[in-house]
Structures are given as C-alpha cells and as structure tokens.
C-alpha cells in the first residue's frame, strides 16, 4: 500500500513544526546524512536554520517544502536565492532529506520536483546544489531530475579526519525572451582586456 504524500509550503513556524523538522534533521544526521551537519544538531541549531529560511521565505528569497506522510513531516527541502543582486536570478537547493523511516517512498524526488517548479514560478533562471561526492544515490536522483555536474571541489567536505568531494550541480530553468546571454564574451559591464 502506497502512503499518501502531502506537500506543505509553510510561511510561518510554530512549536510543532519546529519539533517535526528537528526530528527529521536529527535522525538523518544521526545516520550519517550529508545535510550540512557533522553531528546531529541541537533543537536550537535547527530552530536557528528555520528562522533564517523563514525570514527569506517572507521576502520571496527562499522557499521551504515539507513532505508529510500520515500526518508527520517526513522530508524537507528548500531553495534560497543568491545573496547578491547580480545573483538574484539564481538559487541554491539546500537541505533535501527524508527521515530514515520514510526512505523508499519517493519523497526526495517529490521534494526536488516541487522545488524546481516553485523556483521557476519565482523567476529563478538557474538552480544549483552541492552534494557530497560519495552520495551516489542523491547524485543519480539529481541527474534524473535534470541537474548536471558543472564542477567538483576535491576533498573539501570534512567529516572528522575524512575528506569528500563537493560535487556542484546545475539546472537551467530558462530565461525570458529579452535576456541576452553573454557568457564569457568580451565587452559589457565589468569587462577588462587581456593583460599582455
């Protein structure tokens, strides 16, 4: 029997939501999940992250999606707009994770697809993400969702005495018809000639 998955897009947080998100993050990290924490975070740490992301949700610079299964938060994910105005049309996917007891339900794919759709509606043109190099299942899932690797920082993610690659991935969401793509061509604002 397949469990029904409901996606929620909170704009405010209450005590219960804080507890539910903490439960997911703590359990994922406790089992070695690569979501930005080396040891399971305290409730204060997850509350701080939630406060930060919700402040950005309020300004339209982020979104948080929660996958709820049988009335409980079982997965999370967010996108966050670039922090400088020149990067305002790009965003980074962050904190995609599913509680270990909810694995195999397709929640990761549901969360990623929802985030991509929401970011596109928000006018985001380019989505990026970073994933630990040994997280082959996540890399494969991101590839299936259209992301491609654009670079890799070798051995920069530290987990104790072990080092892992930071695999950087990108998904182009498209641009308006008036946008001019200049790439690395010479000329335009900020351009400088070659030196010698």
């Amino acid at each position: 029997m397949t469990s029904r998955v409901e996606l929620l897009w909170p704009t405010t947080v209450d005590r219960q939501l804080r507890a539910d998100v903490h439960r997911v993050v703590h359990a994922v990290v406790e089992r070695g999940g690569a979501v930005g924490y080396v040891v399971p975070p305290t409730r204060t740490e997850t509350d701080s992250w939630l406060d930060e992301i919700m402040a950005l949700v309020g300004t339209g610079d982020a979104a948080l999606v929660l996958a709820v299964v049988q009335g409980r938060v079982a997965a999370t994910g967010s996108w966050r707009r670039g922090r400088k105005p020149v990067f305002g049309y790009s965003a980074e996917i962050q904190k995609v994770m599913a509680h270990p007891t909810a694995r195999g339900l397709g929640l990761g794919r549901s969360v990623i697809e929802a985030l991509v759709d929401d970011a596109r509606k928000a006018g985001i043109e380019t989505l990026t993400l970073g994933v630990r190099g040994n997280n082959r299942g996540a890399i494969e899932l991101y590839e299936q969702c259209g992301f491609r690797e654009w670079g890799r920082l070798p051995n920069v993610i530290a987990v104790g005495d072990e080092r892992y690659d930071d695999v950087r991935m990108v998904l182009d969401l498209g641009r308006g018809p008036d946008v001019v793509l200049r790439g690395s061509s010479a000329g335009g604002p900020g351009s400088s000639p070659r030196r010698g």
Side-chain angles (χ1 to χ4, degrees):
M1 180 171 122
T2 303
S3 297
R4 183 173 168 268
V5 177
E6 180 183 6
L7 296 178
L8 301 179
W9 299 87
T11 56
T12 61
V13 294
D14 59 18
R15 252 182 52 210
Q16 186 60 53
L17 181 65
R18 289 178 188 281
D20 289 347
V21 169
H22 176 73
R23 181 183 65 81
V24 172
V25 177
H26 191 276
V28 167
V29 176
E30 190 172 54
R31 286 165 182 79
V35 293
Y37 301 97
V38 175
V39 296
T42 64
R43 172 69 185 269
T44 301
E45 290 172 307
T46 56
D47 283 357
S48 177
W49 170 73
L50 266 177
D51 290 341
E52 181 181 346
I53 200 76
M54 295 313 293
L56 293 168
V57 167
T59 62
D61 292 323
L64 173 67
V65 65
L66 306 173
V68 177
V69 177
Q70 297 177 345
R72 291 194 86 178
V73 173
T76 72
S78 63
W79 65 258
R80 180 182 184 149
R81 193 179 301 270
R83 296 176 195 217
K84 296 180 181 178
V86 295
F87 294 108
Y89 291 97
S90 67
E92 184 174 20
I93 298 277
Q94 300 177 335
K95 302 266 190 282
V96 174
M97 68 188 93
H99 193 281
T101 62
R103 297 244 168 95
L105 298 177
L107 300 181
R109 180 179 304 278
S110 294
V111 164
I112 294 163
E113 289 174 349
L115 289 169
V116 167
D117 186 53
D118 187 69
R120 185 178 282 119
K121 289 175 185 171
I124 299 298
E125 298 173 356
T126 305
L127 275 175
T128 63
L129 59 85
V131 59
R132 195 185 295 172
N134 68 334
N135 197 346
R136 306 272 172 93
I139 292 169
E140 182 179 324
L141 176 60
Y142 292 132
E143 288 172 341
Q144 291 170 358
C145 290
F147 286 83
R148 64 177 174 76
E149 182 178 333
W150 65 264
R152 180 178 291 250
L153 295 170
N155 298 306
V156 297
I157 298 174
V159 180
D161 291 334
E162 298 178 309
R163 303 294 182 264
Y164 298 92
D165 292 352
D166 180 8
V167 178
R168 305 304 299 172
M169 303 185 82
V170 64
L171 176 64
D172 187 337
L173 300 181
R175 291 161 182 78
D178 298 331
V179 173
V180 178
L181 301 179
R182 295 189 55 94
S184 297
S185 61
S191 177
S192 63
R194 290 187 181 266
R195 300 174 192 240

